[in-house]
Amino acid sequence: MCRLCDNVNGLLNLSLFLWRQYFLPASRNRCIFEPGINLAGTPANGQLNGIGWYNSVLRPSLHLAYPDDTLAVVVLSTPAMFEQAFLPFMEERGCQGLSDPIDQCVKHCVSSAVSQCFPGQKVDVSYDYELLPSRKPKFLAQTAAHMCGAAFYYQKSDVTDHSWGEKKMCGVCVHPRFGGWFAIRALLVFRDVTVEMVQLNPPDCVPTREGRIQLLEAFNFRWQDWSYRDIICPVQTYSQKQRDYFSTPPAQRFALLTTWGLLPREDSKLQNESSENPH
């Protein structure tokens, strides 16, 4: 097994590549990488996330099948990703096949970064949209973001004396810099890299009961108005063009890309028909 210190340069290269693409790798010690390849709150010997912390909070059927001390990195997308990575991706490469264009862009950026920074290294990449044959997700994205210290995963159990009764309330992650204006995109598992570290908690951005009630009710009852994303003051939010894209029903996004000149009109018609008639 190679030690983490042997891979620090590669991890820094990965951070630079992904930052240029406006994706943010994150580790157990909050965000590993910031612009300028500073290790934010993480010593240069590379105290990163072990799989065991993720598995420790989940039932066995959801565990990732790696040793507990295996290195894993969660990749987040920032608001700038849309204009600085997605739109150029569509202009240069277009949409291949019928899969979601954002998913295609994320896969291209992450796989390119891994292949360039870690040639010959065994890195298993799972994306947030991928499912197992059992129809379960390959990994629980929000749990992974919380356990790696990137974003706090607020759930119903984090609120005392609520009035929701038995109503199901979905949880949501809040990033300390971007609030709700980010997305969890991928999990990288470095199969031959082991880590030893002290566990750190993600920043608790919404510490009050009232704030958590406001967050969960906005996310569950009014998610379309985007207000839950502003539960804290973010350093950056989605542009209007990005909001227009994500507010558009998925089956109509190909047509929207066509109006932006990013997809040939005939391709848009075929892709919209396939989205509406999956069989």
Side-chain angles (χ1 to χ4, degrees), residues 130-239:
E130 291 184 315
L131 300 176
L132 297 168
S134 63
R135 306 302 297 171
K136 293 179 181 178
K138 280 195 171 182
F139 74 104
L140 299 183
Q142 296 202 102
T143 299
H146 183 100
M147 297 311 295
C148 81
F152 199 109
Y153 183 24
Y154 293 96
Q155 303 178 73
K156 184 178 180 179
S157 58
D158 294 313
V159 179
T160 58
D161 300 323
H162 55 73
S163 61
W164 304 317
E166 298 301 315
K167 182 186 294 290
K168 181 179 180 180
M169 299 290 286
C170 295
V172 61
C173 278
V174 176
H175 188 276
R177 295 179 61 226
F178 299 107
W181 301 97
F182 77 104
I184 305 157
R185 299 297 185 184
L187 177 72
L188 315 182
V189 179
F190 293 76
R191 292 168 57 186
D192 291 339
V193 182
T194 59
V195 291
E196 297 176 1
M197 71 203 73
V198 176
Q199 185 173 3
L200 297 178
N201 294 321
D204 184 359
C205 309
V206 190
T208 68
R209 172 180 173 274
E210 293 75 16
R212 294 177 181 184
I213 290 174
Q214 178 185 349
L215 170 67
L216 292 178
E217 290 187 347
F219 180 67
N220 282 269
F221 306 146
R222 302 179 300 279
W223 61 269
Q224 298 97 329
D225 68 10
W226 309 88
S227 62
Y228 78 89
R229 299 177 187 267
D230 288 320
I231 192 67
I232 66 169
C233 184
V235 298
Q236 188 180 27
T237 66
Y238 290 0
S239 65

Side-chain angles (χ1 to χ4, degrees), residues 67-135:
D68 284 351
D69 58 355
T70 304
L71 170 67
V73 176
V74 176
V75 178
L76 314 176
S77 65
T78 71
M81 180 274 290
F82 192 80
E83 276 78 15
Q84 301 298 329
F86 176 63
L87 296 183
F89 171 83
M90 291 299 299
E91 291 173 353
E92 296 169 9
R93 300 176 61 89
C95 191
Q96 308 298 317
L98 303 176
S99 60
D100 182 82
I102 290 284
D103 293 345
Q104 290 187 40
C105 173
V106 170
K107 186 172 185 178
H108 169 73
C109 292
V110 173
S111 61
S112 296
V114 170
S115 63
Q116 290 185 33
C117 297
F118 299 98
Q121 184 76 265
K122 295 179 179 178
V123 184
D124 293 341
V125 183
S126 298
Y127 297 97
D128 66 300
Y129 57 85
E130 291 184 315
L131 300 176
L132 297 168
S134 63
R135 306 302 297 171

Side-chain angles (χ1 to χ4, degrees), residues 253-270:
R253 290 175 184 172
F254 291 108
L256 180 62
L257 292 172
T258 301
T259 66
W260 292 349
L262 297 174
L263 197 64
R265 192 165 299 277
E266 188 60 31
D267 287 354
S268 172
K269 180 180 179 181
L270 291 174

